[in-house]
C-alpha cells in the first residue's frame, strides 16, 4: 500500500466524503436527482451496475471504494438487500449461455467457451470490487455476513459459491506468506492472536507472552499480502523432549523452558483459523507441513512432529452410545464403569480416574477406528482434519485436558496425531479412498477385547 | 517467502534432486519402472494428472514444484507437447457439462451451476501449480512460451484463455503494490529497468541514474507480492516547469535539475510493460492514475499531468496515404511538401524542417482525428491506450524525437496526452462508446483547411 | 547485528561456554592453574588487565564478551569488588602524567598532550568492553549498579565520571533515532513502555492501547542503534482542541477521539526516562523539540505545544512554609485557608475545593516565581527541566490531578509549560544566566496581593 | 533519521535559508551589524563560540547545522582559517589546568580530575557539532580536509588528535553493523563499492555484478548507523576449492561459478577502506574476523580462510637492494638473474619467467622474514596489517598478478595470508612483542641458501 493510500485509509470514511475521488461528472451520473429534490446518493445496486459498466473502467478504483464504503455504512437490511440483488440480478447472462450452447451444436470445440459464457456476472463484480484499497479484506467480511444469512435464505448460496471460487484463487497457498509470530511482533497482530485463539483460550498478555517468548515455544501464521495485519491461520508449537500427554504442563506459566536445541519433539498444540469469511478455503494442511519443514531446517534434532489435540466429539458420541442400549460399540463392562462419569469431580479422585482409564480408552479406540457418522465418516472433526492431512493417530491420553471444557467435550481425553512426512501421502490416500484410519498399534490394542 | 523456501529457491534445481521433497512412496508412485530397466522419471502429463488427483492433495506443493522444475528442464519439444496436452486433455469434463445441462431442463436456477461444471480442468491444474514456491512467476513464463506458439498452433488458444482468466484474478490491481524506484532500489531490480525500457532505451547505468536520482525525476512501478524483484510495469516521470515538446532535453545527461517543489508539470515520458506472459492484463491505466494521485499528494504545486509520447504508427500510415493517390486524407499541397521527407537529413536543415512543420502537423491531426484502421479504430496504438484511459490529445510536437527511431516511425513527431482526472471519465466514455477523440482545440485547428 | 551475533546473544551465556570463542591458547593464558589443581577461571580484574594488554588487541571481541558475561554471573560482592578495582587500579598513569607535565615546562604547546596523558585507563577499558555484542547495554547496566553504590562508597565517583564522559559521546543526540511508538510497535518494546512510564502509571495493555492507537494520541521515543528494543526516553502526546487543565480527561478510557487534523494543540502529558544507567545524559530537551518539529510538519493546524505537568515539590514546600511561622511566602489569610487541606476528601467537596482555589494558586505562583531552594534554584525539579529548556510557565490548574499521588505531592495542582520555538532561546538564556522564570501574566497575577 | 529530518537534508542547503531554524532572536544575536550596513552573517569561529556558549544549549541542533553548512559553503581559505582557529583558540583552558594541578599538590586523588580539566575545548565543540543531522559524516569530511593540510601546517596536528580520539569512540566496533553487500543492495551503495575499491579496480557494473552475484562470491562491509549509505570498509570474498595462486582467475568474467556448499576455502582477495577522514580508526581486523565467523556459521565446509594479497612494497625494496651493492639481502646469483626484470615483457616469456621464479621467491622470503625498514618494521604495509592481525604468511605466488600495476609494484608477486582463529592470538603477540613473523615452512625454505 502506498503512503497516499494509507493516509486515505486511516481517515474514517464518512459517506459524505466517500465519493470525493470520483470525478465531478462521476458523481453527477450516480447521484439520483428527482424533480425539485436534493440529489440522492445512489443505491448499492446502482453502484454495482455502474462498476460493471463501460464507464466503470475509467474510474474503477474510486467506484469500488465507494461501493464498499457505502456497504459498510448501510444498515443490516440494506446490506442483506444488496446480497440478494447479487443473487438475483448478477447471475450468468442467459443470452450468452444460449449462444454458447448453440455454438456447441455444430462445433464440439466450442465447449471450451461455455465456461466463460456461463460465468455469473457477480464474479467480475467481485474482481472489480477487489480494485479498492482494502478491497480484499472488505470482501472477506462481506462474505462473513453472507454466511450468517445462508441458512435463512438459501438463494444466497449461489453468491457464496462465487465468493468461495474467487477466494480459492486469491488465497492460493502460493500467495500466502508464512511468518514467525513472536514477542517482537506488532501488538496490533498479537491482540488478534489473543482474540482468535480457538483451542486453548489466551487469558491475557502474560499468557500470550508465555506462548511466544520462551526458547521452547514457537508460533507461525499465514498472512496474505493484502491483509498484512491479519493472520489467516496460526499454529502454536511447543518444543519438548517427549510426546506430551496433557496440555496443562504446556500452558503452565511457571514452567521452566528448555533450550530449543535440546528438544526432540515439536508439538502442535493449537491451530486456529481466524477469518470466518474464508470458510472452505483450507490452509491448515499447508501450514502444518510448512512449519514441519521450517523446524527441520532450523533444529535438526527435532525428529518427531505431533499434535496434542482435543477430541471435541467424543463425549457426545459416548453419551449417545450409552443411551442406545442396543449399541454394540461399548460393552456391558464399559457401561457399568461409565456410571462413574456421572459423578462430579471423578477426575480428581485417583481411584475413580484410574478405574475409568481402560474403559474410556477402549471407547475412544472404538470412536476413532470403528464408529462412523451418518455420512459414513470418522465422527470427530479434528480427527478428520489431521487424518485427511495424512497424519496418524499416535496415542490417546487419559485426562489430557481436565479443564471444564476438556471434561465436557471429551471426558478429559486428548490425542496425539503424528506427522511423518514420509508416510502422509500413503495415509492420506488410504483415508481418502477407503476411509482407513492410520493409527499406531497401541490404539488398536486399546479396543474392547470382546 | 520463508527462509527455508528462499534457500531452496536459490539452489539451482537439478532434476536429480527435484523430487527430493516428494515422499519416498510419492516417488515410487510416479517413477515408471519397466521390466528390467531403471525407473524412469514421469512424463510432464503424468505429473499433471497426479497433481489433479486425490493423491495430489497430500503432497501438492512438492508435486507442483516437481512439475514446474521438470517443465523448466525439458526440451522445447517436450514443453510444446505438454502445452498441447493441456489443450487436448485438460478441457471441461463433457460428462459434467452434460449433467449440468440436463439439470437446467427442469430447474432454471441450475444455470448457476453450469459455470463451474464447464470449467476446464486446466484451471484447477494451474491453481495447483501456483502452490509451488515461485509458481506464479513460472506460470507467467510458461504463458510467454505458449504465446509464441499461438500463431502456429491455434488449438493452444483455449489454454491461453485459461491463463488469461486466472492472471486477471491473480494480478488484480488490488494485489499490486506501487513502489518508488530510485537510486536506492536494489541493483537486481534496476538492471531490469534497463533491460525492459521499451520507449527510450537506457544506454547504461549512468543514463539510468540520470533518470532516477535527480530531484526532478521519478520512476514508479507496480510489483506483485509473488514476484518481488520483477516490476510488472513502470513509468518514468520528469518534473518540469512547462509541457515539453521534445524528448532530447529530458534525457540530456548534462541537464541541470530543478527543485521538485518548483515544478508545475509532471511528464510521463516512458511507460513499459515487462512481462510478455501477462499480455492482456492491463496495468498502465491504473499505474498512471495512481502516480497522478501520489504526485498530487507529495507536490501540490504540480497541476498538469501529461505524457510525452511517441506516435509509432504515423510514418507507416502517412506512407500508405501518400502511396494511395486517391486518398483524400492528405491534400495536394501536402503531397508536394512531403517529398522533402525522402531527403535524408531533412530534419537537420532548418529550412526544410520548417517547410514540413505545417503539412506534417496537418497530417498528424488527420491521423488522430479522422483516420481509422480496418477495425474502425484510431490507428495509433499508443493513442488508443491513452485515449482509452480518458486522456486528451493536448499537443503535437514537430521534431519532438529526432533519434533514428523517432524519425523512422513518426518523422520526428511526438505528442502530449493530458490526464485531467476531472475529465477522464467523460473522455473515456465518449471514446469507448462513440469513438470520439478528446483533443485540445489546437489539434483540430491543425487539420488541413481544405 | 548480524544473524550469527544474534543467535549467540539469544543463547543464555553460561559461564562454562562463555570463553568458547577465545582461542585455546587464549584460555590457557587466562585460566589460573595452581599446582595439582584444576585450572581456575580468571578474576574479573585479570580479564580487564588482559583486555587492556597488547594481547587483547588480537581477541578483543571475545575477551570483552567474556569479561561482561563473567561480571553478569558474578555475585554482588565480586561485582562491587570489580568496580572498586576500576577506581583504584585503572586511573591515570602517574608516570605518563609526570612526563607530560615535565614536557610543558619547556614547551607550552605540550599542554595539548596533557589531556590524553591524564586519561584514566578505565576509559580505554570501557571502550574495549564496548566491542562486545551487546556491550553498550551491558555497560549501561553496569553503571546503573555503580550508581547504587555511590553514596556508600564515594571513591567510585571517579569511575562514574568516566562512564558519564563516554556515555555523553556514545549517546550523543546525533546517534539517537526518533521513532514513532504505536500499536504496530513490537510487544517487546511496548511492555517496556508499560514498565517505564514514570508519570501516570499504565494499568494494563488496554490502558496502553488507549494511549497509542486513537487518532489523537502519539508517542515518540529516542532509540540508540546499539539498544534497538530499549527506548531511552519517551513522551506521550495528546492532540486536543484546547490546552487541557486536568489529566483525568486525557487518560479516560471511554473518551471519544477527535481527528488529528482537527487538533490545534499538542499536549506532552508524560515524559519518562528509562535507563537509570544513563543518568546525567540529557535527552528530554532534544526529544520535545524534535517532536514539536515532527508534529508541525505532519499537522500544520497544530500551533500550540504545551505540557500538562505535575508539580512534584509543591506540597512539601507548602508544608514547610506553613510550618515556618516566620515565612512571609504565605500570608495569614492563606494560612487560615490551608487548614482545609488537612481535612481528608476536601477536593470532593465543591465548597472547600473552591475556597482553596485562590490561596493554592497564589501559593503556587509564589512557589514558582519567588521561592528558591538552598542552592538558589527554583525548587520544583520538573519546572527546572522545562524552564531550562526555554519553555514558559503558561497556566496553573487547580485540581488538575486528583489521583492519590496528585493530591499528595501537589494538592492536585498541575501546570502547563508552553514550548514556543521562537522564544525558547531568550527564555533559556534569561533563566540560565539570571534565574528569570518565563511565565504568562496570569501566573504573576495570581501572586498574593499583599 | 526521521522523515522531517530527511526532507530537510534532501533540500540543498543554500546559505540564505540555513539559519531559518534559528529563532529570530538567535539570528539577531549572531548576525553582525556594523553602523549603517546590512547585517552580516557570522564568521565560522563566532558560530563555534556561540555553540560552546550557554546559549547554544537551547538551540544546539540548529547552530550545529548552521556551522556545518556554513563551513560547507565557505571557500578553501575560510575553511583552512577555521581549522587553524580550532588549533589556536579551542585548546585546553590553561586556567582550569592550573587549578587542577594546584589541587593535586595537596590531594593526590585529584589526579583523576586532571584529564577533564585538560580537555581541549575542541572536543566539546565536535561533540556539539555532532548534534546536527548528518553531523557525523560532515565531521568525517572535515577531518579529511584537515589531513590534507597536516604536512604544510603541523599546528593542525593537535586538532587532528581530537578528531581521532572522538572518532575512536564514535566508530567503536560495537557501533558498527556488518552487512552483506550483494546484487540486491541499493545502487547508491554499490556505486560506492565501484568508486572505493582500492585493490583490484572494478571496471563497470558488469564487473561489479561478477563479484557480487555468483553463488561463490561474497562481499561484506561495516556500516555506521549515522552513515547508512556509506560502507566504511568492505571485503570481497571468493569461495573456492583450493588456495588460489593468482588473481586473474578470480576476476575472470567468464569463470564458471561453483556451488557455495562445495567450497572449502574462503579467499579475501580485496579489502578497501573508504573514508580517508577515518584514517587511524582500524576496522579491517574486526571485519575479517567477523566475516570468518559468519562464513563458518553459514558454510561449515569452509575450513580455510586466506587472503590473496598484493605485496606493494616489494619491487621498490628489491630495486633498492639491487642498487646497494653492499647489501647482503640478495646474493650474487640473484643479482644476475634479476637483470631479466629489466627486459620488458619478461613475464610473457615462459623461459624468462621460470628463470626468475626461484630468485624472486627467495628475495620475497628475505623481504618478509629478514628485511626491516628504518623503524625496524617489516617493510611491507599489507604484511604489517595481516601479521598484526595474527595471520600467518602462508604462501608466495610467482606471477600472481600480471596486471601493469602488479608487475610494477611487486614483479607480479602475490601472497596468501592465513587466518587460523586458533592461532591468531599467539601470532599477534609474537609479532607485536618480538617482531616474529608467522610464516609457513615453505616460506622459510625459499630463503636464499647462502
Amino acid at each position: 500500500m502506498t503512503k497516499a493510500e494509507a493516509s486515505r485509509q486511516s481517515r474514517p470514511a464518512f459517506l459524505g466524503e466517500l465519493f470525493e475521488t470520483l470525478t465531478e461528472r462521476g458523481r453527477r451520473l450516480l447521484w439520483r436527482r428527482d424533480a425539485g429534490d436534493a440529489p440522492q446518493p445512489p443505491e448499492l445496486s446502482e453502484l454495482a451496475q455502474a462498476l460493471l459498466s463501460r464507464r466503470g473502467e475509467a474510474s474503477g478504483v474510486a467506484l469500488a471504494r465507494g461501493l464498499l464504503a457505502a456497504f459498510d455504512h448501510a444498515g443490516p437490511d440494506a446490506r442483506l438487500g444488496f446480497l440478494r440483488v447479487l443473487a438475483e440480478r448478477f447471475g450468468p447472462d442467459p443470452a450468452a449461455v444460449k449462444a454458447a450452447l448453440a455454438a456447441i451444436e455444430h462445433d464440439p470445440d466450442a465447449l471450451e467457451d461455455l465456461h466463460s459464457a456461463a460465468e455469473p456476472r457477480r464474479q467480475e463484480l467481485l474482481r472489480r470490487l477487489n480494485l479498492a484499497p482494502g478491497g480484499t479484506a472488505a470482501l472477506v467480511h462481506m462474505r462473513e455476513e453472507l454466511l450468517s444469512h445462508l441458512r435463512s435464505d438459501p438463494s444466497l448460496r449461489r453468491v457464496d459459491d462465487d465468493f468461495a471460487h474467487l477466494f480459492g484463487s486469491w488465497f492460493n497457498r502460493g500467495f500466502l506468506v508464512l511468518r514467525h509470530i513472536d514477542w517482537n511482533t506488532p501488538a496490533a497482530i498479537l491482540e488478534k492472536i489473543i482474540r482468535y485463539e480457538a483451542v486453548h483460550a489466551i487469558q491475557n498478555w502474560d499468557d500470550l507472552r508465555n506462548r511466544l517468548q520462551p526458547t521452547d515455544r514457537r508460533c507461525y501464521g499465514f498472512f496474505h499480502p493484502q491483509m498484512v495485519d491479519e493472520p489467516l491461520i496460526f499454529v502454536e508449537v511447543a518444543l519438548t523432549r517427549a510426546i506430551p500427554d496433557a496440555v496443562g504442563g504446556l500452558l503452565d506459566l511457571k514452567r521452566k523452558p528448555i533450550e530449543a536445541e535440546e528438544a526432540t519433539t515439536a508439538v502442535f498444540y493449537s491451530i486456529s483459523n481466524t477469518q470466518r469469511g474464508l470458510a472452505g478455503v483450507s490452509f491448515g494442511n499447508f501450514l502444518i507441513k510448512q512449519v514441519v519443514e521450517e523446524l527441520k531446517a532450523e533444529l535438526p534434532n527435532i525428529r518427531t512432529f505431533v499434535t496434542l489435540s482435543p477430541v471435541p466429539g467424543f463425549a457426545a458420541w459416548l453419551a449417545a452410545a450409552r443411551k442406545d442400549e442396543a449399541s454394540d460399540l461399548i460393552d456391558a463392562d464399559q457401561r457399568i464403569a461409565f456410571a462413574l462419569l456421572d459423578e462430579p469431580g471423578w477426575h480428581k479422585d485417583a481411584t475413580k480416574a484410574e478405574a475409568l482409564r481402560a474403559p474410556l480408552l477402549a471407547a475412544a479406540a472404538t470412536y476413532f477406528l470403528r464408529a462412523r457418522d451418518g455420512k459414513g465418516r470418522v465422527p470427530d472433526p479434528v480427527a478428520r482434519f489431521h487424518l485427511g492431512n495424512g497424519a496418524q493417530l499416535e496415542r490417546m491420553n487419559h485426562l489430557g485436558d481436565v479443564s471444564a471444557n476438556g471434561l465436557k467435550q471429551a471426558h478429559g481425553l486428548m490425542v496425539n496425531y503424528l506427522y511423518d512426512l514420509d508416510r502422509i501421502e500413503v495415509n492420506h490416500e488410504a483415508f481418502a479412498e477407503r476411509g482407513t484410519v492410520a493409527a499406531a498399534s497401541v490404539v488398536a490394542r486399546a479396543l474392547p477385547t470382546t
Side-chain angles (χ1 to χ4, degrees), chain A:
Chain A
M1 181 167 51
T2 67
K3 213 182 68 189
E5 280 182 11
S7 89
R8 256 175 273 132
Q9 286 195 305
S10 67
R11 276 189 263 145
F14 295 110
L15 199 54
E17 55 170 291
L18 276 175
F19 295 96
E20 68 180 13
T21 56
L22 281 182
T23 63
E24 186 52 41
R25 179 161 157 81
R27 268 191 296 274
R28 241 180 298 137
L29 288 171
L30 291 171
W31 250 244
R32 285 178 305 159
R33 188 190 300 266
D34 296 332
D37 292 344
Q40 295 289 313
E43 301 257 336
L44 289 170
S45 58
E46 289 170 313
L47 287 169
Q49 282 293 1
L51 186 54
L52 272 182
S53 74
R54 173 165 274 172
R55 198 185 314 133
E57 279 180 40
S59 52
V61 176
L63 266 171
R65 285 185 67 225
L67 199 162
L68 290 174
F71 182 83
D72 199 38
H73 282 76
D77 290 348
R79 292 150 73 108
L80 178 54
F82 175 67
L83 297 172
R84 286 193 175 129
V85 166
L86 289 187
E88 288 154 22
R89 287 199 252 144
F90 288 83
D93 177 352
V97 174
K98 202 169 166 186
L101 290 175
I104 298 175
E105 297 286 310
H106 45 265
D107 176 11
D109 276 3
L111 184 61
E112 296 275 350
D113 302 325
L114 186 56
H115 175 60
S116 66
E119 184 180 273
R121 291 181 308 143
R122 281 183 293 275
Q123 291 198 12
E124 178 64 16
L125 180 65
L126 295 179
R127 281 191 292 264
R128 292 201 179 186
L129 284 172
N130 198 26
L131 295 173
T136 310
L139 291 170
V140 169
H141 295 139
M142 194 184 286
R143 187 189 176 212
E144 185 174 338
E145 186 160 341
L146 175 72
L147 287 170
S148 73
H149 296 301
L150 267 197
R151 189 173 299 234
S152 60
D153 187 346
S155 80
L156 295 175
R157 169 69 61 192
R158 61 183 74 157
V159 183
D160 188 53
D161 287 346
D162 292 320
F163 272 105
H165 176 76
L166 288 171
F167 287 175
S169 240
W170 296 350
F171 290 89
N172 185 296
R173 186 257 162 280
F175 295 146
L176 303 184
V177 179
L178 183 75
R179 280 166 62 185
H180 195 160
I181 295 167
D182 60 22
W183 196 236
N184 274 308
T185 298
I189 290 175
L190 294 185
E191 73 174 338
K192 284 164 189 162
I193 299 295
I194 294 180
R195 188 187 311 154
Y196 291 136
E197 156 68 63
V199 185
H200 304 292
I202 298 177
Q203 306 302 326
N204 52 38
W205 287 81
D206 284 338
D207 189 1
L208 176 67
R209 179 172 34 197
N210 188 46
R211 302 191 190 192
L212 300 182
Q213 202 179 30
T215 45
D216 57 355
R217 289 297 181 266
R218 294 286 188 281
C219 180
Y220 299 88
F222 269 148
F223 290 76
H224 189 272
Q226 273 309 92
M227 297 171 73
V228 288
D229 53 4
E230 285 277 353
L232 304 181
I233 187 172
F234 59 90
V235 63
E236 298 166 56
V237 188
L239 309 181
T240 64
R241 291 207 193 83
I243 298 180
D245 58 9
V247 77
L250 292 182
L251 299 181
D252 183 2
L253 287 174
K254 290 174 193 133
R255 183 184 57 79
K256 192 169 165 344
I258 64 171
E259 290 300 301
E261 287 77 10
E262 300 170 33
T264 59
T265 305
V267 184
F268 303 87
Y269 66 91
S270 175
I271 181 163
S272 304
N273 279 292
T274 68
Q275 307 293 319
R276 266 181 295 164
L278 291 176
V281 185
S282 176
F283 310 119
N285 175 0
F286 296 118
L287 179 60
I288 291 178
K289 287 169 190 167
Q290 188 165 351
V291 170
V292 168
E293 292 203 26
E294 289 288 315
L295 287 170
K296 274 187 164 176
E298 183 194 342
L299 297 165
N301 289 339
I302 298 187
R303 303 281 164 81
T304 305
F305 298 87
V306 294
T307 73
L308 180 61
S309 300
V311 193
F314 179 54
W317 170 85
L318 186 59
R322 289 173 63 194
K323 205 167 171 185
D324 175 4
E325 295 180 8
S327 169
D328 60 351
L329 289 170
I330 50 178
D331 63 23
D333 290 347
Q334 283 178 298
R335 285 180 191 276
I336 293 166
F338 290 152
L340 282 171
L341 290 175
D342 305 330
E343 301 181 14
W346 63 264
H347 65 285
K348 295 183 191 154
D349 177 325
T351 315
K352 294 177 184 170
E354 204 47 40
L356 276 163
R357 174 186 297 273
L360 274 178
L361 293 179
T366 304
Y367 174 68
F368 287 110
L369 300 181
R370 294 188 179 157
R372 290 297 177 266
D373 71 4
K375 298 179 183 164
R377 304 177 306 175
V378 168
D380 197 78
V382 172
R384 286 201 300 271
F385 172 75
H386 291 297
L387 297 171
N389 290 344
Q392 158 174 305
L393 177 58
E394 183 69 4
R395 202 170 73 188
M396 305 182 297
N397 305 297
H398 183 50
L399 294 186
D401 178 5
V402 293
S403 71
N405 186 48
L407 288 167
K408 188 177 155 204
Q409 71 180 7
H411 302 305
L413 184 74
M414 297 199 84
V415 299
N416 306 111
Y417 298 98
L418 177 78
Y419 278 81
D420 176 349
L421 289 192
D422 268 349
R423 300 179 54 196
I424 58 169
E425 208 170 330
V426 183
N427 291 343
H428 161 75
E429 204 179 359
F431 183 73
E433 293 184 2
R434 300 181 299 279
T436 310
V437 171
S441 56
V442 69
V443 177
R445 283 202 303 271
L447 282 171
T449 46
T450 46

